[in-house]
Amino acid sequence: MTTATRTGRHPSTLATLWRSTVGKKAVMAVTGLVMLLYLVAHMLGNLKVFFGPDDINGYAAWLRTIGQPFLGREWFLWIARPALLASVVLHGVSAYQLSRRDLAARPSKYVHQRRRASYATRTMRWGGVILGLFVVWHILDLTTLTVNPVAEHGHVYQNIVGTFGRWYSDVIYIVAMLALGLHIRHGFWSAAQTLGANNARRDRALKLTANGLALLLTAGFLSVPVAVMTGVVK
C-alpha cells in the first residue's frame, strides 16, 4: 500500500518530481549550474592575489558590504551561504540516490556487470567525494581559519600565503582542483543533456565549452598555490 493510499492524500508535484529519476537529474543539473557560477566568481576573486595584499584584502572587505545600506554588513554573505549550501546538499543527495538506483538496477548474478559504470560516471562519483571532503577542509582553512597557520581575520593575502606555504595544503588543493576540473567537464555535458540543451548541431560547441570551462577553472585555481610555491606571490 502506498503512502498516498494510507493517508488519503496524493503527493505534491514537487514531491513526485523529486522522487523521479528525471527530477533528481534536473535538480543535479540546476544546482550544478548554480555552483558553477559561484566557482567562476570565486576564481576571479582569487586571482586578485596577483595584484597584492591591498587589492585582495580590499575585495574581501567589499564582499561584506554588498547591498549596503539596504542590507546590513555581511547580510549578503549570510544570504548567499545558505543558498550555496542548499545547492551542495541537494546536488550531493541527488547524486547519491541516483547512484543507489543505478546499483539496484544491475543484475547481481552477473559479476562482470559490476563494472558497467562508465569512466565518466566513476570519475563523477569519486570526484564528488573528494570535493565534498575538500570543501570542509577549505572552510576550516580559509574561512573560519581554524587550521590556518596565520589566521589573521581580514588579511586574506597573508592567510593564502600561509596556507600554501605548507606542502600538504598544496597537495590537498591540487588534487581537489584536478578532481574539480574533471567534475566540471563531465557535469556540464550531463547538465546540458538533462536540460535538453544539446542536439546534433550543438554537441560540438557544448563539448568545447565543457572542456574550456574545466581547463580555465582548473588553471585559474591552481595558479594561486603554484604562485606561492614558486615565490611569485609571497
Side-chain angles (χ1 to χ4, degrees), residues 65-118:
T65 65
I66 293 176
Q68 287 186 336
F70 179 73
L71 297 177
R73 181 175 174 80
E74 295 191 6
W75 282 22
F76 173 81
L77 291 178
W78 285 108
I79 292 171
R81 284 166 178 164
L84 185 61
L85 177 61
S87 294
V88 172
V89 171
L90 287 171
H91 194 81
V93 170
S94 298
Y96 174 76
Q97 291 181 348
L98 286 170
S99 177
R100 298 296 299 174
R101 286 186 180 184
D102 180 57
L103 291 172
R106 300 181 189 183
S108 58
K109 62 181 179 179
Y110 296 111
V111 177
H112 67 275
Q113 291 194 9
R114 291 178 63 185
R115 295 187 61 82
R116 194 178 78 183
S118 67

Side-chain angles (χ1 to χ4, degrees), residues 181-198:
L182 290 172
H183 205 77
I184 291 171
R185 180 173 178 269
H186 298 314
F188 184 88
W189 175 246
S190 296
Q193 289 181 307
T194 299
L195 298 176
N198 67 311

